């Protein structure tokens, strides 16, 4: 039941902090717009931020251009292991899975974990949990695409944050992780306070990028503290992303999206590209960009 069913709403999604290959621009732009449309439908008809975030990320996972779900990066043994996290800002519940194999939509497993006492489960246990919740399982090799087999190093993630008409906020992430990583490696994406966070009293944030550095900096927590001080989400995320090279070295890059509790939306990145799409109750049409350079050039 909504306390304020006609409040402002907002949704922002991203397709990962990365460098797009030649000819990949249209698929990235189209992909984030399609994902946005899935979540938008839910928010417009008065659905919850949690449902909108899950729906948007499911679409991103299904599209092979993004490193999540179908089209995930491969680890050192040439296998897909995926991570996903979701957070419900109503009660600070967290659901996350790490190094999970053989599920079609990791974000829906993370979503199902929101109802559990545990916040994060990994590996075979996470797949068993998905099976017990009747979520679709797939052969792990069916998640591999030709694009990822030829890839050298990626650590991008997809994500979404939403504010619904009832003033509820949610965040979510999903990733195939870091190309060539050790088996069992878990990055920032399923770790609350690092790759994501959501709190109805403050706002929400989701990151992509160098997962180890994002964890070392507890980057989502820093953005939440900045939002709590009243900083604009754009400024809060930009300052957080700018910290990455100082801790992780010159190559440490990333990107993030954020919403404040009053519906202000912002995003920033220091990666070469970062496809983003957003819509708010004040906008007639969604907007999408492949990075800040494109946004600045109009
Ligand atoms: N940011 C995704 C990862 O490092 O796994």
């Amino acid at each position: 039941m909504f306390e304020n069913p006609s409040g402002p709403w907002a949704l922002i999604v991203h397709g990962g902090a990365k460098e797009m290959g030649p000819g990949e621009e249209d698929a990235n732009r189209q992909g984030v717009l399609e994902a946005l449309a899935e979540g938008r439908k839910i928010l417009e008809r008065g659905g919850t931020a949690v449902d909108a975030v899950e729906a948007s990320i499911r679409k991103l996972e299904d599209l092979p251009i993004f490193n999540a779900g179908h089209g995930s990066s491969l680890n050192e043994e040439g296998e897909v292991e995926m991570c996903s996290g979701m957070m419900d800002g109503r009660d600070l519940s967290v659901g996350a899975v790490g190094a999970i194999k053989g599920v079609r939509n990791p974000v829906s497993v993370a979503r199902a974990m929101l109802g559990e006492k545990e916040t994060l489960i990994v590996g075979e246990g996470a797949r068993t949990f998905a099976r017990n919740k009747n979520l679709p399982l797939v052969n792990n090799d069916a998640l591999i695409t030709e694009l990822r087999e030829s890839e050298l190093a990626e650590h991008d993630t997809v994500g979404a944050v939403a504010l619904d008409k009832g003033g509820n906020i949610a965040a979510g992430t999903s990733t195939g992780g870091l190309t060539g990583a050790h088996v069992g490696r878990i990055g920032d994406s399923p770790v609350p306070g690092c790759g994501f966070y959501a709190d109805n009293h403050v706002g929400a944030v989701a990151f992509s990028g160098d997962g180890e550095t994002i964890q070392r900096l507890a980057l989502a927590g820093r953005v939440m503290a900045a939002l709590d001080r009243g900083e604009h989400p754009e400024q809060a995320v930009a300052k957080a992303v700018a910290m990455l090279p100082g801790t992780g070295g010159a190559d440490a890059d990333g990107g993030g999206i954020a919403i404040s509790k009053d519906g202000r939306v912002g995003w920033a990145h220091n990666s070469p590209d970062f496809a983003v799409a957003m819509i708010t109750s004040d906008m007639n049409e969604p907007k999408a960009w492949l990075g800040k350079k494109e946004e600045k050039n109009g």
Side-chain angles (χ1 to χ4, degrees):
M1 187 61 95
F2 290 128
E3 287 166 20
N4 174 25
S6 55
W9 56 269
L11 175 65
I12 178 164
V13 309
H14 76 78
K18 60 188 174 185
E19 181 156 19
M20 289 174 197
E24 290 182 354
E25 294 86 354
D26 286 352
N28 275 278
R29 191 189 308 280
Q30 195 53 35
V32 289
L33 282 168
E34 284 177 25
L36 192 81
E38 294 297 319
R40 176 187 181 174
K41 279 190 281 197
I42 291 168
L43 295 176
E44 275 181 335
R45 64 171 187 251
T48 66
V50 166
D51 283 343
V53 165
E54 182 192 5
S56 289
I57 294 180
R58 281 175 66 94
K59 173 55 83 174
L60 294 164
E61 288 175 339
D62 287 344
L63 296 171
I65 193 73
F66 302 117
N67 174 15
H70 180 55
S72 285
S73 289
L74 307 182
N75 66 17
E76 63 184 352
E77 296 198 344
E79 286 188 320
V80 166
E81 288 186 322
M82 303 168 288
C83 297
S84 176
M86 280 201 63
M87 187 155 182
D88 185 341
R90 287 177 292 199
D91 60 359
L92 307 188
S93 54
V94 170
V97 290
I100 189 172
K101 295 182 190 175
V103 294
R104 177 153 169 219
N105 290 107
V107 72
S108 293
V109 191
R111 164 73 195 266
M113 279 290 292
L114 283 175
E116 301 293 316
K117 179 179 181 300
E118 297 87 348
T119 55
L120 170 63
I121 52 174
V122 303
E124 199 46 46
R127 191 164 193 259
T128 301
F129 173 79
R131 181 188 297 116
N132 292 341
K133 291 286 178 188
N134 295 318
L135 295 168
L137 304 183
V138 293
N139 184 320
N140 205 42
D141 288 346
L143 300 167
I144 299 177
T145 60
E146 275 178 33
L147 175 68
R148 299 303 169 198
E149 281 179 317
S150 60
E151 186 175 77
L152 291 178
E154 283 294 339
H155 52 203
D156 45 301
T157 304
V158 302
V161 295
L163 166 71
D164 67 34
K165 290 182 180 180
N168 300 308
I169 297 177
T173 61
S174 184
T175 186
L178 174 65
T179 309
H182 290 315
V183 173
R185 177 256 185 197
I186 290 180
D188 59 302
S189 304
V191 183
C194 296
F196 66 104
Y197 206 85
D199 180 344
N200 273 11
H201 299 292
V202 180
V205 59
F207 276 109
S208 169
D210 182 329
E212 281 66 28
T213 308
I214 293 171
Q215 287 185 74
R216 290 165 66 200
L217 288 165
L219 215 54
R222 291 176 190 267
V223 170
M224 294 302 289
L227 295 179
D228 208 18
R229 290 192 297 270
E231 277 185 34
H232 193 284
E234 182 106 358
Q235 186 191 356
V237 176
K239 276 170 38 183
V241 163
M243 295 178 74
L244 290 169
T247 298
D251 292 340
D253 66 2
I257 55 177
I259 290 182
S260 58
K261 66 178 178 191
D262 53 4
R264 291 174 295 162
V265 179
W267 58 286
H269 63 107
N270 69 341
S271 53
D273 302 305
F274 189 56
V276 165
M278 64 180 271
I279 178 87
T280 71
S281 43
D282 292 338
M283 293 163 61
N284 293 326
E285 291 300 326
K287 287 190 173 156
W289 304 272
L290 300 181
K292 279 289 166 191
K293 218 184 303 167
E294 185 180 68
E295 185 193 42
K296 289 199 176 98
N297 293 338

